[in-house]
Amino acid sequence: MTRRERQEQIDKGFLLPLMEEFYTIQGEGYHKGTAAYFVRIGGCDVGCHWCDVKESWLAELHPPTETGKIVENAVKYSNTIVVTGGEPLMWDMNPLTTQLKAKGVQTHIETSGAYKLTGEWDWICLSPKKNKLPTEEVSSKANELKCIIYNKDDFRFAEEQAEKVGNDCILYLQPEWSKRDKMIPQIVDYVMANPKWKVSLQTHKYLNIP
């Protein structure tokens, strides 16, 4: 395959820069505690300074992998497949989710929402970032809004984003891991004063699993 042909396959979503894939327990948000197979796609230009997977940012570091192979491997482990990144919506997710749905599995995505929504999803976890705001479409279709709290201004940002999601979207505030000791008490107080919000913790880190 020539470089041009490979790029065409990437642009169409038939090849994706696969960073890693692993079977574990979902640690965050609504589905925490659920066994799921994670597919981490490389490439992200949102650039959160506190990102804990900065090695995912450069797509060219991760091998273009056939979506069919990703699907074939994923469905061996779980009927819940979580696509994360990086920022997976930088790529066309239609081929991946079409093949996953053909296998009868549940498709979940974790996204900043900064790019056009592609793919067929049973669950959309939107984690918006100030650097690059989510599109109106992703906000309106999100099942779960997970706002990361690094400092006090993030509460204001979370409320702004909550105005953009649907009425049935579940709202979470999650402390940024390195600031958890400082921010958890503030989050607890905030949720008690504003009970439309729920607390999300990165329980997989407490369990010492991926």
Side-chain angles (χ1 to χ4, degrees):
M1 183 184 298
T2 66
R3 181 177 297 179
R4 180 177 178 180
E5 289 172 337
R6 174 177 290 184
Q7 188 59 51
E8 288 177 352
Q9 292 294 297
I10 292 172
D11 292 343
K12 293 177 180 178
F14 295 119
L15 291 174
L16 292 170
L18 179 64
M19 177 182 168
E20 61 179 344
E21 48 189 340
F22 51 93
Y23 185 43
T24 189
I25 302 296
Q26 170 62 272
E28 304 176 9
Y30 183 79
H31 291 98
K32 64 181 178 296
T34 303
Y37 193 78
F38 280 71
V39 175
R40 189 181 301 282
I41 306 300
C44 184
D45 62 358
V46 179
C48 303
H49 63 90
W50 41 257
C51 176
D52 56 3
V53 280
K54 289 180 179 177
E55 60 271 28
S56 71
W57 289 5
L58 295 177
E60 55 267 30
L61 296 181
H62 309 293
T65 305
E66 293 178 16
T67 54
K69 290 183 178 179
I70 296 174
V71 170
E72 182 181 349
N73 198 42
V75 298
K76 293 177 184 177
Y77 293 90
S78 180
N79 62 3
T80 299
I81 312 301
V82 181
V83 180
T84 186
E87 175 43 69
L89 291 182
M90 288 182 67
W91 316 99
D92 188 343
M93 291 285 110
N94 286 310
L96 178 63
T97 58
T98 296
Q99 294 175 69
L100 286 170
K101 296 307 292 180
K103 298 289 187 180
V105 301
Q106 295 286 302
T107 55
H108 296 193
I109 188 171
E110 298 182 349
T111 176
S112 69
Y115 285 86
K116 178 183 177 182
L117 182 63
T118 57
E120 181 182 351
W121 305 103
D122 295 296
W123 192 265
I124 298 174
C125 173
L126 171 61
S127 185
K129 307 299 187 296
K130 295 176 183 175
N131 303 2
K132 202 163 188 176
L133 296 175
T135 68
E136 184 176 330
E137 181 184 19
V138 180
S139 292
S140 66
K141 293 184 177 180
N143 302 99
E144 169 183 355
L145 176 69
K146 184 175 67 183
C147 293
I148 308 303
I149 305 300
Y150 182 83
N151 56 38
K152 285 187 176 181
D153 185 64
D154 291 327
F155 291 107
R156 174 199 60 79
F157 178 70
E159 292 291 353
E160 286 182 356
Q161 298 308 302
E163 291 293 321
K164 300 177 182 179
V165 299
N167 292 333
D168 294 331
C169 185
I170 304 169
L171 307 179
Y172 287 100
L173 299 176
Q174 178 172 297
E176 195 279 321
W177 182 252
S178 70
K179 297 288 185 179
R180 64 191 183 280
D181 291 340
K182 178 180 178 181
M183 300 314 300
I184 283 177
Q186 296 182 43
I187 291 172
V188 168
D189 289 345
Y190 194 89
V191 170
M192 291 177 71
N194 302 274
K196 69 179 181 181
W197 291 96
K198 299 177 184 292
V199 178
S200 174
L201 298 174
Q202 291 179 292
T203 58
H204 57 291
K205 294 189 175 181
Y206 290 101
L207 295 172
N208 197 29
I209 58 176

